[in-house]
Amino acid sequence: MSAEYLFTSESVSEGHPDKVADQISDAVIDAFMAKDPNSRVAVETLVTTNLVVLAGEVRSNFAPDYDKLVKDTIAKIGYDLDNFNPESVEIINRVHEQAAEIAQGVDAGSKAEEGAGDQGLMFGYATNQTPTLMPAPIYYAHKILEELSKMRHGGEKRLRPDAKSQVTLGYKNGMPYRVDTVLVSHQHTAEIDQAGLKEIIWPVVERIFPEGWVDDKTKFLVNPTGSFIDGGPAVDTGLTGRKIIVDTYGGMSRHGGGAFSGKDHTKVDRSAAYAARYLAKNIVAADLADHCEIQLCYAIGVPEPLAIYLDTFGSIKGNLTEDRIIKSVRECMSLTPRGIREHLELAKPIYAPTASYGHFGREAKDGFFPWEKTDLTEQLVKHL
């Protein structure tokens, strides 16, 4: 890799159609976890013009009010247009019972040997580029839209829910040092034009980046095609699980291909990806390496991961090796579905907040985002 290069990541707002679908699916997960933490849930959502379709399979002692979950989510996001709103939206529910063949591989009578809910491979990543140990481009792409969302919910009615951001940063010797380009496409009302939007958005851009990163060569684009009045599910169909790079590391780490939203904690697509992030973050937080990527892989019905891969991209400290760190990881945390669930306390209604602005790099507070804690650092170092 050259000494200087550009890297780009994008984010999407809570009002983006795919994110509306993700939030509905995770609202369903939370409803089950709140009443029956042993529920098995896999629910997909489709949203389009004044229509929401739910499909999937569940096994639980609880039956939620699906219509209320859908309508409450739409209202919370802020959609109240004639062609997509919580009052008149049509809801089609095709959620059904989980297949017995899946259940027999995932459950265990003793609860000690629960198998993975599916096969697959998951990656976790951490880097010292930002305070949250996330890659800088996706970190700041999320920040821009989070700040604009706060403004909208705080009373800036000229902004509407649907939005995307894209951040291109300049890198020197592996670390970000300047902002090359910021692109924001934001839905708005008819009372504001492109110039007016720039006046709202530019101050947000200026204040979120470190001092000196925005310079006279930084390019700033807002709604490059012009107006963006019609947006959201009314004009663009959304599906659960279509923003897997937005949800993770903005493309700076590899991805196993599995989406998160709408899946309970037995689905290793979700829980093992959280565990991999937790481990990678603790390795970097313990100053064992500057960058760390971990891969876990599972077979359906088999508790232990089939393999663990770890790469520090040449940034490992002292006389450590990747193999020694892997051994320490195995000693510090059980990576069975049950071990992950208990260590990270995943059988709780904590998932709806993950479904917009990324699953990683968020504060570990109020019981949310426990995989962002750095409470394993001392154990890792001790076992090394």
Side-chain angles (χ1 to χ4, degrees), residues 17-18 21-22 25 43-46 238-243 259-262:
D18 294 329
D22 283 347
S25 290
V43 172
E44 311 290 340
T45 304
L46 177 149
L239 295 169
T240 300
R242 284 209 299 199
K243 287 291 177 283
F260 301 154
S261 291

Side-chain angles (χ1 to χ4, degrees), residues 67-369:
D67 284 11
K68 185 176 188 304
L69 291 170
V70 169
K71 293 179 178 182
D72 285 352
T73 301
I74 294 171
K76 184 177 179 181
I77 293 168
Y79 277 114
D80 55 5
L81 303 175
D82 291 342
N83 48 14
F84 193 76
N85 68 78
E87 301 304 321
S88 63
V89 67
E90 179 186 0
I91 301 170
I92 298 175
N93 185 354
R94 293 294 183 268
V95 178
H96 57 81
E97 189 77 10
Q98 184 189 59
E101 288 178 320
I102 295 176
Q104 71 186 7
V106 175
D107 294 342
S110 67
K111 299 289 185 185
E113 296 297 331
E114 298 168 11
D118 202 352
Q119 72 176 50
L121 50 124
M122 304 84 208
F123 285 93
Y125 183 72
T127 174
N128 62 0
Q129 293 177 17
T130 62
T132 61
L133 305 186
M134 284 289 287
I138 188 67
Y139 174 83
Y140 290 109
H142 286 321
K143 283 288 185 186
I144 290 170
L145 293 185
E146 284 183 289
E147 289 297 312
L148 292 172
S149 176
K150 290 176 185 177
M151 291 174 65
R152 180 171 62 84
H153 287 294
E156 179 48 83
K157 300 301 183 183
R158 294 173 296 177
L159 297 179
R160 299 295 298 159
D162 195 358
K164 300 177 78 171
S165 66
Q166 187 168 286
V167 171
T168 301
L169 297 182
Y171 278 74
K172 185 182 293 183
N173 299 321
M175 292 297 288
Y177 75 102
R178 66 174 296 269
V179 181
D180 182 84
T181 307
V182 173
L183 164 62
V184 179
S185 295
H186 208 300
Q187 186 187 12
H188 58 91
T189 63
E191 64 187 274
I192 192 170
D193 59 12
Q194 199 173 30
L197 277 173
K198 286 185 176 182
E199 291 178 2
I200 293 174
I201 298 170
W202 178 245
V204 172
V205 172
E206 282 192 305
R207 72 170 176 263
I208 69 157
F209 288 105
E211 186 176 354
W213 281 29
V214 175
D215 56 34
D216 56 1
K217 294 183 180 179
T218 297
K219 296 178 284 293
F220 179 51
L221 305 173
V222 172
N223 290 7
T225 60
S227 64
F228 181 11
I229 295 172
D230 295 323
V235 297
D236 184 11
T237 298
L239 295 169
T240 300
R242 284 209 299 199
K243 287 291 177 283
I244 59 175
I245 301 303
V246 171
D247 285 345
T248 53
Y249 307 102
M252 196 166 279
S253 170
R254 284 167 281 199
H255 197 293
F260 301 154
S261 291
K263 298 176 182 177
D264 70 60
H265 49 76
T266 68
K267 300 349 182 247
V268 284
D269 272 345
R270 184 170 212 160
S271 58
Y274 290 171
R277 161 63 178 173
Y278 173 71
L279 293 170
K281 184 173 183 179
N282 275 270
I283 287 166
V284 174
D287 200 30
L288 305 180
D290 292 332
H291 320 285
C292 180
E293 182 180 73
I294 293 179
Q295 183 200 57
L296 306 173
C297 66
Y298 290 83
I300 188 169
V302 179
E304 293 285 345
L306 304 182
I308 301 177
Y309 164 85
L310 189 147
D311 190 352
T312 60
F313 308 95
S315 71
I316 201 167
K317 303 296 180 70
N319 61 351
L320 293 174
T321 65
E322 272 91 1
D323 286 345
R324 286 182 62 195
I325 296 177
I326 289 173
K327 184 178 179 182
S328 178
V329 162
R330 285 189 177 275
E331 291 172 341
C332 289
M333 181 179 177
S334 168
L335 293 172
T336 66
R338 183 188 183 190
I340 293 171
R341 181 187 72 233
E342 293 183 348
H343 192 105
L344 297 180
E345 300 181 285
L346 297 182
K348 293 182 177 181
I350 61 174
Y351 296 102
T354 69
S356 49
Y357 310 113
H359 292 244
F360 306 126
R362 314 276 290 281
E363 283 190 71
K365 65 178 182 178
D366 301 327
F368 298 120
F369 310 104

